[in-house]
Amino acid sequence: MLPPQVVHTHKPHFMALHCQEFGGKNYEASMSHVDKFVKELLSSDAMKEYNRARVYLDENYRSQEHFTALGSFYFLHESLKNIYQFDFKAKKYKKVTGKEIYSDTLESTPMLEKEKFPQDYFPECKWSRKGFVRTRWCVSDCAFDLVNIHLFHDASNLVAWETSPSVYAGIRHKALGYVLDRIIDQRFEKVSYFVFGDFNFRLDSKSVVETLCTKATMQTVRAADTNEVVKLIFRESDNDRKVMLQLEKKLFDYFNQEVFRDDNGTALLEFDKELSVFKDRLYELDISFPPSYPYSEDCSQGRQYMNTRCPAWCDRVLMSPSAKELILRSESEEKVVTYDHIGPNVCMGDHKPVFLAFRVAPGAGKAHAHVHKCCVVQ
């Protein structure tokens, strides 16, 4: 979530917060606590200057056909005038006033578009909650879409290691392409868009393992009954054949985690390849924070990665080429664009939230366009 100090530092006029797996992994038991949390958030001291809000929570877990567990929060500062939200059914903008919470079933809400990806996109995951929610806004004649997205994960480290790119990267490519085609189709006027959430982008596993274990020998462990590969062990050729990496379906145990933290993992960015497929359709600022997943859920281990997956930049804020042009880059020394993660030393679950703070000129191109500050948070 978004700590008060981040709000205080950037003082955004328009703040968008996108959550995935809302209610947690045990959503049947914990969803009952969600409403209380949301009401406390809206009434908190940190948010007292935000006099308008829209909250959309997909809580209806009993509808497996539609349930995405996505939560989208939008907060409007009292100084922000003339902001409108698009009604996708009436095909017109409506002025935003007051605070409203929409939960349970979102299909009947005309102020957004929501879709869960078809089951055949990821057939091995019976109850996948992956999908997207889209809203459209207009601030002083500047219109833009905000898309909350959750793409498919890697089900097995061993399967991901087999090919480059992995079969899972192909599934994510298909799903993200579907979303982008959907938000620029002919039904509505085309506007700039920001897509942010858990893309589940992973490093190219085969290339990473080859690089991390360049001088290692590989041992293959097979199941006695099926002869299926269940474990790969990479050992140093010398140095008493020290184990460097153990790889199982849900184990990625590398002996030196510092490689993922040193210089924010910059050396590994060359293996972050999944976005390159969309280089003409999606833009991202340079990444200067460490991989956002999978962090330990032990409250005393805020900086530690779990040894379940290879650390990766799963959580991102991406934008269309026209949205890139909306972001103002000041020529003064003031840093007006920040792309970073939140809580580097604090346990915040297995993902670290990522945020993009920037200034945008509504009615871009107008000589005297008023500048507003925005903050979008994954």
Side-chain angles (χ1 to χ4, degrees), residues 156-318:
S156 167
N157 292 324
L158 293 170
V159 173
W161 172 82
E162 289 175 353
T163 59
S164 177
S166 76
V167 61
Y168 304 119
I171 295 170
R172 288 188 284 271
H173 176 195
K174 179 180 179 181
L176 181 52
Y178 175 85
V179 173
L180 295 181
D181 289 344
R182 181 73 172 167
I183 62 179
I184 63 168
D185 62 20
Q186 301 301 313
R187 293 170 302 139
F188 307 105
E189 178 187 3
K190 291 183 176 64
V191 300
S192 301
Y193 54 84
F194 295 86
V195 186
F196 50 111
D198 180 5
F199 292 83
N200 261 314
F201 288 162
R202 307 299 172 97
L203 304 185
D204 187 85
S205 185
K206 197 166 188 65
S207 302
V208 168
V209 171
E210 288 174 356
T211 300
L212 295 179
C213 304
T214 303
K215 298 181 180 179
T217 56
M218 185 180 76
Q219 174 189 349
T220 302
V221 180
R222 297 179 181 272
D225 51 346
T226 63
N227 203 38
E228 178 187 3
V229 175
V230 294
K231 188 171 189 173
L232 299 175
I233 303 174
F234 296 83
R235 300 177 183 272
E236 289 189 5
S237 301
D238 46 22
N239 195 23
D240 297 327
R241 294 186 53 75
K242 174 184 175 183
V243 174
M244 300 180 69
L245 173 67
Q246 297 182 78
L247 202 65
E248 297 178 12
K249 180 179 181 179
K250 294 186 177 180
L251 177 72
F252 188 98
D253 190 4
Y254 187 62
F255 79 103
N256 178 23
Q257 275 204 6
E258 288 304 314
V259 70
F260 302 109
R261 287 191 288 261
D262 286 346
D263 195 24
N264 292 321
T266 302
L268 298 171
L269 277 171
E270 66 175 293
F271 307 114
D272 180 70
K273 302 177 180 179
E274 294 192 36
L275 186 56
S276 63
V277 180
F278 298 95
K279 63 180 183 296
D280 296 327
R281 305 177 72 181
L282 288 170
Y283 173 78
E284 182 180 30
L285 271 70
D286 291 339
I287 292 176
S288 58
F289 49 87
S292 64
Y293 170 87
Y295 280 92
S296 170
E297 295 179 293
D298 181 336
C299 291
S300 64
Q301 301 288 330
R303 283 173 49 84
Q304 190 77 10
Y305 288 109
M306 287 192 288
N307 62 0
T308 52
R309 308 287 185 188
C310 177
W313 289 272
C314 293
D315 308 276
R316 319 281 275 261
V317 180
L318 310 178

Side-chain angles (χ1 to χ4, degrees), residues 104-130:
D104 197 28
T105 302
L106 298 181
E107 279 70 29
S108 60
T109 306
M111 307 309 288
L112 58 78
E113 283 197 321
K114 189 199 94 174
E115 279 194 54
K116 180 177 178 177
F117 294 119
Q119 183 66 45
D120 60 7
Y121 272 39
F122 200 41
E124 65 183 272
C125 191
K126 187 177 181 181
W127 299 121
S128 170
R129 297 180 291 279
K130 308 302 190 288

